[in-house]
Amino acid sequence: MSVNVEFVPDGLHGVVAEGTYLWDAAKRLGLRLPAECEGRGECDTCAVIVREGATLLSGLTEAERTRLSPERLAAGERLACQSKVERAGDLVLEPVPVTEREETAEEVKQDLRAEFREMPLQQKLATLVELEYIAASQTFKSITDVPVSYFEKGLDYVVNFGRSRARRERQARRPAEHVAGAPKSPEADKPSS
Ligand code: FES
């Protein structure tokens, strides 16, 4: 028996076999979902929202319960590398936007590169100082502009800096009652199993 899978909003669709993981189904249909932890269930970059057909999928794994908040589970999110199609039928899936999940290292680098390019010189220097990178070079004495190539050398170092900032920004957008430690309403949704 086969399963009809559609990814929205792209409209990619096709048929996959039962037993296929959602990440593999996406790849088969031409959609490369991010997979920062390479499918070990240790990130949330492969998260998708199940718009239709949730009952066709395997039960939640421990990794999904750990990585996805009760609110995200209640909204129908699954980790594509952990969820397997177990029954035939129609599935409609939507990748979780990057603004609502952890960024991959490459996405963080791209953001930081773009941001750094746009900065005025003073701010570039201040950023490098903030990253404790200025001490690594004596060439600042004669520098008239900080080349992007210099920043590139520090990208791996600053990925975590960018990630924690993105996490803080995402957290700031969350409703107050969803923030960890906030008092829970008695009607708070429980994760489905
Ligand atoms: S790729 Fe990391 S949890 Fe799926």
Side-chain angles (χ1 to χ4, degrees):
M1 298 286 276
S2 53
V3 186
N4 298 309
V5 182
E6 179 183 358
F7 278 90
V8 292
D10 292 0
L12 291 168
H13 59 91
V15 173
V16 300
E18 285 175 55
T20 304
Y21 281 89
L22 297 185
W23 195 90
D24 294 318
K27 186 178 170 198
R28 184 181 164 85
L29 301 182
L31 177 64
R32 190 62 107 150
L33 293 171
E36 185 72 353
C37 74
E38 300 177 339
R40 291 191 296 271
E42 295 171 359
C43 69
D44 72 344
T45 59
C46 67
V48 294
I49 304 163
V50 182
R51 295 291 183 203
E52 279 179 39
T55 57
L56 307 180
L57 301 176
S58 54
L60 290 172
T61 64
E62 194 54 41
E64 291 179 290
R65 291 182 191 281
T66 303
R67 293 284 150 196
L68 301 173
S69 66
E71 291 78 18
R72 293 178 67 178
L73 291 172
E77 287 193 34
R78 300 293 305 263
L79 294 178
C81 70
Q82 302 284 305
S83 317
K84 191 165 53 165
V85 185
E86 290 189 336
R87 284 167 282 281
D90 296 328
L91 256 180
V92 179
L93 307 168
E94 179 180 352
V96 170
V98 66
T99 49
E100 296 300 318
R101 60 161 170 80
E102 196 178 324
E103 286 185 295
T104 64
E106 194 47 46
E107 287 165 343
V108 173
K109 285 181 185 178
Q110 283 170 10
D111 288 352
L112 290 171
R113 273 192 202 105
E115 206 176 307
F116 192 75
R117 278 200 188 89
E118 297 304 313
M119 283 179 191
L121 175 61
Q122 288 286 29
Q123 203 180 339
K124 282 179 179 170
L125 289 170
T127 300
L128 293 173
V129 170
E130 188 179 355
L131 297 171
E132 299 178 311
Y133 214 70
I134 197 164
S137 173
Q138 297 301 312
T139 59
F140 274 96
K141 290 190 184 79
S142 58
I143 225 163
T144 54
D145 195 359
V146 180
V148 170
S149 61
Y150 189 83
F151 184 66
E152 293 278 333
K153 289 178 193 161
L155 270 176
D156 285 334
Y157 178 80
V158 300
V159 160
N160 286 337
F161 171 81
R163 270 190 166 146
S164 60
R165 188 184 59 183
R167 201 174 299 123
R168 283 197 301 276
E169 288 171 357
R170 260 203 317 279
Q171 194 67 21
R173 289 198 303 272
R174 301 266 189 244
E177 63 269 37
H178 292 172
V179 176
K184 283 209 157 201
S185 89
E187 291 80 33
D189 283 329
K190 298 232 167 14
S192 55
S193 54

